[in-house]
Amino acid sequence: MYKITYLPTGHIFELPDLTAQELKEKFPQEYKILEKNGKKYKDRTQKKIVVKSGSIYESVVEKGGQ
């Protein structure tokens, strides 16, 4: 069983392994894993980078994988 939190609202759920992993894969910025099988887990989430149109951010910052 996994204990996960839904970040936008802060609600905590205890879900079966398969369901929790599917949610984390589909919505990585919205869910954070707190515990795996009763043991605390450090889950790292990536913050969304919002790029405003007309800014020079895209020309200044290199993006990985390109």
Side-chain angles (χ1 to χ4, degrees), residues 1-60:
M1 296 294 280
Y2 279 43
K3 189 181 282 188
I4 64 170
T5 183
Y6 183 60
L7 296 175
T9 61
H11 290 105
I12 297 173
F13 302 97
E14 193 165 330
L15 299 171
D17 300 350
L18 184 61
T19 306
Q21 289 173 354
E22 286 178 3
L23 286 173
K24 183 66 180 171
E25 287 175 12
K26 290 181 183 177
F27 309 103
Q29 285 86 20
E30 294 182 6
Y31 290 95
K32 183 176 180 181
I33 298 173
L34 302 175
E35 292 182 7
K36 282 186 177 182
N37 299 322
K39 296 181 182 176
K40 293 193 179 203
Y41 180 78
K42 256 189 183 175
D43 188 17
R44 297 181 182 169
T45 57
Q46 294 180 346
K47 295 183 180 180
K48 291 182 182 177
I49 298 174
V50 179
V51 179
K52 296 179 182 176
S53 61
S55 73
I56 61 168
Y57 181 82
E58 291 179 345
S59 60
V60 174

